[in-house]
Amino acid sequence: MKKKSLIALSSLSLLVGSAFLALPASAALPTVVSGQAMPSLAPMLEKVSPGVVSIDVEGSHVSKQRLPEGFRFFFGPDFPSEQVQERPFRGLGSGVIIDAKKGYVITNHHVIDGAKKITVQLSDGRALNAELIGSDQYSDIALLKLEEAKDLTAVQVADSDDLRVGDFAIAIGNPFGLGQTVTSGIISALGRSNLNLENFENFIQTDAAINSGNSGGALVNLNGELIGINTAILGPNGGNIGIGFAIPANMAKNIVDQIIEYGQVRRGRLGVHGQELTSELAEDFGYETNHGAFVSKVDKDSAADKAGVEAGDIIVSVNGKKIRSFGELRAKIGSLGAGKRVELGLIRNGREKNVTAVLNDIGQTAKAETLHEGLQGAALENYNAEGQVGVLVADVTKGSLAAASGLKKGDVIIGVGRKTIRNLGDLRKQLDGKQGTLPLNILRGSYSMYLMIR
């Protein structure tokens, strides 16, 4: 079957080539008809395409398999209890340059997940090494930085909240590793969620063809502005059937801004529980349509509670922009940083009401034992005070491994070996996969010292 498909494709190419060879010069397609230029996306694409890149990753996936207890019985107690296998892989994806001066490239988390080496190929053929600045698996966004980047072209970011169903959309990426490819279509739907694709779902749906390898590429409008990051498709066997999904540009930008500032995502929390608004619920609570998020519960002392949100409210807008579902509300709030002020539009007892909430900071502290076994018992958080940055040891559990190594509450981790640590993102990167003795550069009061964490 594959052989027949390849033969048919080759024949088609040959026929097309023959047809063009047979055309006289006078038969070229016209560029002007009735005094008007023929419409074309080419001028816009000539400006935008250099800002879309191909990404080649190399890495390895580590899998662990627990061995039967009988192995330790025969080979002794020192025999490992699990078998660790490391399988190398290579992958292809796409990315978008969003800052030409700093060399920032945005892509999907799943494109670079597990990568040890990331190579970015520009549209002019240059291949550059890329450093992973940070990523967020829950929104599927990652930020790369090109090394020794010069003469780059960035894609301008549009306000994706202004999108409408029916707007034209153009997808640019690297499907199947073919190289830069452009497809066009329209916005088919907005605010898609509950697709079981990502943790925070607020997808733009488009019928512009998106295929494997397009992940992380650009979805742009007719002005050549970035409106979304192509992420997933719905189709049999991974093939395109005209249902593709992209992460809205605003959501991606919020995540990237946090990664740049903090080295990680400091996700905000509103503190509401609820469900999608049905027509029955809308009628019961005095609302005429079923667009919005129904609030069934408000957590005590949460941002929503302090703002005056109540159970039974219907949240219909965030910062003046309408929302369509509870999933969209969750995604919008989840992509905003902790401490952000958000204006919520509510329907209560059939009447409109606006309240302002300041999002709580969740995930600010890290479970240190997930970074290194020897840090078990330490609570870590980002530190930035009096010109000093690093990772603050917010607490140390008495009798823990961290305490046994001499780590104390109030210490600031400023380095691992000779590598400088600015935040939790840097610390995670330096400790990734490391075992055994760990030399931490600690700032304790005004003194700098090294602690050996085991």
Side-chain angles (χ1 to χ4, degrees):
M1 195 70 181
K2 286 185 178 179
K3 186 175 181 181
K4 290 183 179 179
S5 299
L6 287 172
I7 291 174
L9 182 60
S10 299
S11 300
L12 179 62
S13 300
L14 182 62
L15 287 172
V16 172
S18 300
F20 274 102
L21 286 173
L23 284 174
S26 59
L29 293 174
T31 58
V32 178
V33 176
S34 301
Q36 294 185 345
M38 291 285 285
S40 174
L41 296 175
M44 179 272 287
L45 290 170
E46 287 172 358
K47 296 180 180 179
V48 174
S49 293
V52 183
V53 302
S54 299
I55 298 177
D56 188 343
V57 300
E58 298 178 35
S60 58
H61 290 305
V62 178
S63 61
K64 297 182 180 181
Q65 182 180 5
R66 192 164 186 83
L67 298 174
E69 288 296 327
F71 278 71
R72 303 188 73 183
F73 176 79
F74 283 109
F75 296 106
D78 294 332
F79 193 81
S81 59
E82 59 184 15
Q83 183 180 34
V84 180
Q85 290 185 332
E86 199 169 330
R87 297 180 180 179
F89 75 90
R90 290 194 66 177
L92 296 171
S94 306
V96 185
I97 300 173
I98 57 170
D99 190 318
K101 289 185 178 180
K102 296 181 179 178
Y104 286 147
V105 175
I106 190 172
T107 186
N108 286 138
H109 168 82
H110 74 260
V111 170
I112 53 81
D113 188 24
K116 300 298 183 183
K117 181 180 179 182
I118 305 173
T119 305
V120 169
Q121 183 167 356
L122 306 181
S123 61
D124 60 12
R126 283 183 291 166
L128 303 174
N129 292 326
E131 174 191 0
L132 175 63
I133 300 300
S135 68
D136 178 45
Q137 68 179 88
Y138 302 107
S139 59
D140 201 13
I141 290 294
L143 180 67
L144 309 177
K145 181 178 175 64
L146 299 181
E147 300 175 4
E148 301 178 358
K150 295 180 180 179
D151 301 323
L152 300 179
T153 299
V155 180
Q156 297 299 312
V157 181
D159 185 351
S160 57
D161 286 336
D162 291 337
L163 291 175
R164 300 175 300 170
V165 173
D167 286 347
F168 288 106
I170 298 93
I172 312 174
N174 177 31
F176 302 111
L178 291 172
Q180 193 171 89
T181 301
V182 178
T183 57
S184 66
I186 63 169
I187 302 298
S188 306
L190 295 166
R192 287 295 195 210
S193 58
N194 298 321
L195 301 175
N196 296 319
L197 294 175
E198 317 294 347
N199 291 75
F200 291 95
E201 299 178 11
N202 180 29
F203 292 116
I204 300 167
Q205 182 181 326
T206 179
D207 64 350
I210 297 174
N211 289 287
S212 179
N214 271 112
S215 288
L219 189 69
V220 301
N221 58 23
L222 291 181
N223 292 324
E225 298 167 323
L226 185 70
I227 58 176
I229 300 297
N230 299 322
T231 298
I233 58 174
L234 187 65
N237 305 318
N240 173 66
I241 59 171
I243 303 178
F245 301 101
I247 299 168
N250 286 3
M251 182 174 172
K253 185 177 184 301
N254 288 337
I255 295 296
V256 165
D257 287 346
Q258 293 175 60
I259 292 174
I260 292 173
E261 184 172 358
Y262 305 112
Q264 63 171 352
V265 175
R266 294 179 60 186
R267 186 162 280 111
R269 181 175 182 268
L270 183 59
V272 297
H273 305 265
Q275 64 182 68
E276 308 302 345
L277 183 65
T278 64
S279 56
E280 292 81 6
L281 275 174
E283 184 177 354
D284 289 341
F285 286 86
Y287 190 43
E288 294 181 355
T289 73
N290 60 348
H291 291 307
F294 178 74
V295 178
S296 60
K297 179 185 176 184
V298 178
D299 291 337
K300 186 178 180 180
D301 296 327
S302 65
D305 185 29
K306 293 176 181 178
V309 180
E310 299 176 0
D313 286 346
I314 300 169
I315 300 177
V316 295
S317 68
V318 175
N319 292 333
K321 303 292 186 178
K322 292 183 178 179
I323 61 169
R324 301 161 186 80
S325 64
F326 194 88
E328 184 176 357
L329 170 68
R330 182 173 180 270
K332 281 183 176 290
I333 295 298
S335 64
L336 292 173
K340 294 286 186 180
R341 298 175 67 88
V342 293
E343 184 177 323
L344 302 175
L346 310 175
I347 299 294
R348 182 182 297 167
N349 299 325
R351 297 182 180 180
E352 295 184 5
K353 181 180 179 68
N354 290 322
V355 300
T356 300
V358 179
L359 300 182
N360 296 133
D361 193 347
I362 62 171
Q364 186 179 23
T365 58
K367 291 184 178 179
E369 58 266 31
T370 66
L371 304 177
H372 189 279
E373 185 179 2
L375 292 174
Q376 181 269 326
L380 308 176
E381 61 184 51
N382 285 327
Y383 179 82
N384 188 345
E386 299 177 355
Q388 178 64 57
V389 296
V391 175
L392 174 68
V393 180
D395 196 15
V396 178
T397 303
K398 186 177 180 179
S400 65
L401 292 177
S405 296
L407 207 59
K408 294 183 178 182
K409 180 179 179 180
D411 288 346
V412 178
I413 302 172
I414 59 174
V416 176
R418 296 181 179 272
K419 298 291 186 179
T420 300
I421 298 299
R422 299 166 298 175
N423 48 48
L424 279 167
D426 285 349
L427 186 60
R428 285 193 178 94
K429 182 179 178 182
Q430 293 301 322
L431 301 189
D432 184 27
K434 289 188 177 179
Q435 298 177 350
T437 303
L438 185 69
L440 289 187
N441 190 0
I442 301 294
L443 189 64
R444 181 173 295 170
S446 59
Y447 296 97
S448 176
M449 58 187 292
Y450 275 91
L451 282 182
M452 308 308 289
I453 306 297
R454 294 175 173 82

